[in-house]
Amino acid sequence: MSSVMWFRRDLRLRDNPALLEACAEGAVLPLFVLDPHLWGPAGPSRRGYLAASLRSLDAALRDLGAPGLQVVRGDPVRRVPLAARAAGAERVHVAADFGPYGRERDAAVEQALADQGVGLVRTGSPYAVPPGTVTSGSGDHYRVFTPFHRVWEQQGRPAPQDAPAHADWLALDAGTVDLPSPRLPAGLELPEAGEEATLERWRSFLEDRVDDYDEERNVPGTDGTSRMSVHLKYGEVHPRQLLADLAGRRSAGAATYRKELAWREFYADVLWHQPRTAREYYKTQYANLAYDEPGELFTAWQEGRTGFPVVDAGMRQLRSVGWMHNRVRMITASFLVKDLHVEWQHGARHFLHWLADGDLASNNHGWQWVAGSGTDPSPFFRVFNPTGQGRKFDPDGSYVRRWVPELADPDRVPDPHEPSSEVRAAVGYPEPVVDHADERREALARWERAR
Ligand SMILES: Cc1cc2nc3c(=O)[nH]c(=O)nc-3n(C[C@H](O)[C@H](O)[C@H](O)COP(=O)(O)OP(=O)(O)OC[C@H]3O[C@@H](n4cnc5c(N)ncnc54)[C@H](O)[C@@H]3O)c2cc1C
């Protein structure tokens, strides 16, 4: 029997249960569909990274003796059944998608395949514990992280599996397109893509940094985090593989790392239960808060010209490498919502445009967490002071100096977190666009009014 392996967010050969299922059945057509619905709104970082990851998967498949990844372009509801027919496939194998669009798309593809007598088989997912699995004693889902995490930790997981040792591969005679190769905007440099580069980066984190992760993860000036987010996003590695490697580690760093992986799964779970929260307020009462329309200050924020060094460093890091440190994501997001009074959806869209790891669940719920309208029970009135946060988490100023070149020279700028007006004028760095104390009061006043 022949089948189709439809790759989506699982661009790897190792520990890929759907691929193993397909290979066990006979000849396999390795398929990727460039879906305009996803490619169109993806920003330069996601397009560039996806293209590089596809090239890497294509090369890895060729090393296994396959004719390469078969790439087609168009609506999967049409393209997948066409590919299945061309391959004479009886089944199409996928890892389940739990996002709002992916679920609808897969249901429509499943129907279209069924119309021609082909089955869609979902094996595995991008998560260690698939969304919808973790429930309370009463069968309800969790709305806050801590109890979710407790139950998530207790879930069993199969051990990671190897790449298929052998398979017969199929190719399409017609209808394929070249692998995409979008041009990156000047100044944007993305990390190396692909399964091998991912595992190399992971092993180096595991050997050198994971045990200090609980301490280092909040210091944006160090390389203290794993940088796995983009690799998890595209499934170049599965969280099950990371968790298996962490299993023997007793350090506080390893425990904290497991917990961070659980945050990713928690947000996917919340979004699965409440797909509307991708765009709407999780806590609906926050929709009543008064916000300003995005204008010049929003543009200054996007471009890293707010005059608040750690905010500007983060916003410039985002556009330079398609990634931002988690602590700084929180600081920049808080600044937009609580100092500039712009609704979180505008910021979330900007992040999704530039982040290579841009993920609807983690991003939009990360934004809602900061905006106070998300799953976190912490109240709106905890407003980050951007200067204080910079001093606390970037005490030596190395992060700010790295990403804001105007502030790089310690001789000219002795205090990179709060340069004086004279220094700002001398190095060409803007004055703060707002007074934080005033805007904090304004944010709280609006919150009081909404209550
Ligand atoms: C406003 C905002 C937007 C965000 N947008 C995204 C996004 O689009 N995509 C994304 O993957 N993460 C997002 N995050 C979460 C977090 O910032 C990134 O996962 C992290 O910075 C990625 O770097 P890392 O892989 O080095 O993380 P590490 O610190 O090494 O963490 C390991 C992994 O745990 C997961 N993780 C860690 N922290 C979080 C978190 N707070 N929420 C969910 N998962 C987490 C990620 O998969 C990460 O790769 C966002 C956070 C905020 C506050």
Side-chain angles (χ1 to χ4, degrees):
M1 181 165 77
S2 58
S3 64
V4 173
M5 171 63 202
W6 177 18
F7 287 94
R8 294 102 65 87
R9 285 182 55 185
D10 47 356
L11 306 181
R12 67 181 184 283
L13 299 182
R14 291 180 187 81
D15 193 28
N16 189 330
L19 177 62
L20 289 170
E21 283 280 313
C23 291
E25 282 180 355
V28 180
L29 179 83
L31 179 73
F32 187 85
V33 183
L34 272 175
D35 177 354
H37 187 92
L38 293 175
W39 183 263
S45 306
R46 272 187 290 148
R47 283 186 188 177
Y49 193 87
L50 171 63
S53 187
L54 291 175
R55 278 196 297 280
S56 172
L57 179 63
D58 178 64
L61 282 165
R62 287 175 196 275
D63 286 347
L64 273 187
L69 189 62
Q70 306 294 295
V71 182
V72 297
R73 186 190 303 274
D75 183 352
V77 179
R78 219 172 80 74
R79 301 305 319 198
V80 175
L82 279 176
R85 182 171 297 144
E90 289 176 30
R91 310 224 272 176
V92 173
H93 291 272
V94 294
D97 191 328
F98 288 89
Y101 170 71
R103 279 159 75 179
E104 275 183 29
R105 175 203 57 205
D106 286 356
V109 170
E110 188 168 31
Q111 183 58 56
L113 286 170
D115 292 345
Q116 62 185 53
V118 177
L120 181 74
V121 185
R122 296 171 179 83
T123 311
S125 79
Y127 303 99
V129 180
T133 309
V134 172
T135 49
S136 68
S138 62
D140 201 5
H141 72 279
Y142 289 106
R143 289 165 179 78
V144 284
F145 175 72
T146 306
F148 172 90
H149 176 230
R150 207 175 302 124
V151 179
W152 180 87
E153 277 278 15
Q154 290 157 9
Q155 304 292 310
R157 274 184 294 277
Q161 294 169 279
D162 290 335
H166 170 79
D168 293 327
W169 301 100
L170 299 170
L172 290 171
D173 292 333
T176 56
V177 295
D178 288 342
L179 289 161
S181 49
R183 201 186 306 191
L184 294 188
L188 178 63
E189 267 184 49
L190 299 175
E192 192 181 343
E195 190 172 1
E196 296 306 326
T198 302
L199 294 178
E200 204 173 303
R201 167 114 208 155
W202 170 244
R203 280 187 213 111
S204 125
F205 176 72
L206 204 57
E207 277 164 27
D208 302 333
R209 301 192 304 284
V210 71
D211 294 327
D212 300 323
Y213 175 75
D214 52 323
E215 301 280 342
E216 295 294 317
R217 60 183 282 271
N218 266 316
V219 186
T222 65
D223 191 17
T225 69
S226 68
R227 304 291 284 262
M228 281 297 113
S229 52
V230 70
H231 307 303
L232 288 164
K233 154 88 191 167
Y234 289 102
E236 295 171 324
V237 70
H238 193 277
R240 191 172 40 229
Q241 295 167 272
L242 309 185
L243 288 164
D245 285 344
L246 292 168
R249 303 237 170 196
R250 296 281 161 261
S251 65
T256 306
Y257 193 87
R258 275 197 295 273
K259 200 167 182 178
E260 294 309 313
L261 288 175
W263 271 105
R264 174 177 179 268
E265 309 230 339
F266 173 60
Y267 285 148
D269 188 75
V270 172
L271 187 62
W272 186 76
H273 284 286
Q274 299 197 48
R276 66 162 192 86
T277 60
R279 314 270 174 237
E280 295 170 18
Y281 287 84
Y282 179 79
K283 292 190 186 122
T284 47
Q285 66 271 29
Y286 277 79
N288 299 330
L289 242 144
Y291 283 104
D292 296 346
E293 281 304 310
E296 276 176 24
L297 293 183
F298 180 61
T299 309
W301 175 83
Q302 289 179 306
E303 294 176 354
R305 293 186 288 101
T306 66
F308 287 87
V310 75
V311 173
D312 294 342
M315 299 310 292
R316 295 188 199 185
Q317 179 180 35
L318 174 63
R319 287 166 97 116
S320 300
V321 295
W323 183 85
M324 196 197 295
H325 189 278
N326 179 61
R327 169 59 49 183
V328 191
R329 292 188 203 206
M330 293 197 281
I331 299 170
T332 53
S334 172
F335 186 80
L336 184 71
V337 174
K338 294 179 183 168
D339 285 75
L340 303 186
H341 317 293
V342 172
E343 250 181 320
W344 65 267
Q345 292 91 333
H346 296 286
R349 256 197 304 279
H350 179 74
F351 268 34
L352 281 182
H353 183 79
W354 284 102
L355 283 172
D357 67 22
D359 172 84
L360 195 64
S362 292
N363 185 63
N364 291 22
H365 275 283
W367 271 90
Q368 296 228 42
W369 189 92
V370 175
S373 64
T375 54
D376 185 54
S378 82
F380 180 88
F381 53 76
R382 248 179 243 156
V383 179
F384 282 146
N385 176 328
T387 310
Q389 289 279 309
R391 282 201 195 289
K392 182 168 177 195
F393 293 107
D394 183 35
D396 64 1
S398 55
Y399 179 73
V400 161
R401 292 196 200 278
R402 162 78 181 82
W403 293 108
V404 185
E406 302 95 297
L407 306 178
D409 183 351
D411 292 331
R412 297 183 79 194
V413 188
D415 179 0
H417 289 296
E418 224 171 352
S420 65
S421 290
E422 294 73 36
V423 168
R424 287 173 193 258
V427 299
Y429 182 67
E431 288 289 327
V433 290
V434 293
D435 180 303
H436 171 67
D438 288 350
E439 301 312 330
R440 178 175 180 279
R441 269 192 297 278
E442 172 66 17
L444 297 181
R446 291 184 189 206
W447 184 63
E448 282 300 338
R449 282 200 295 277
R451 288 208 305 160

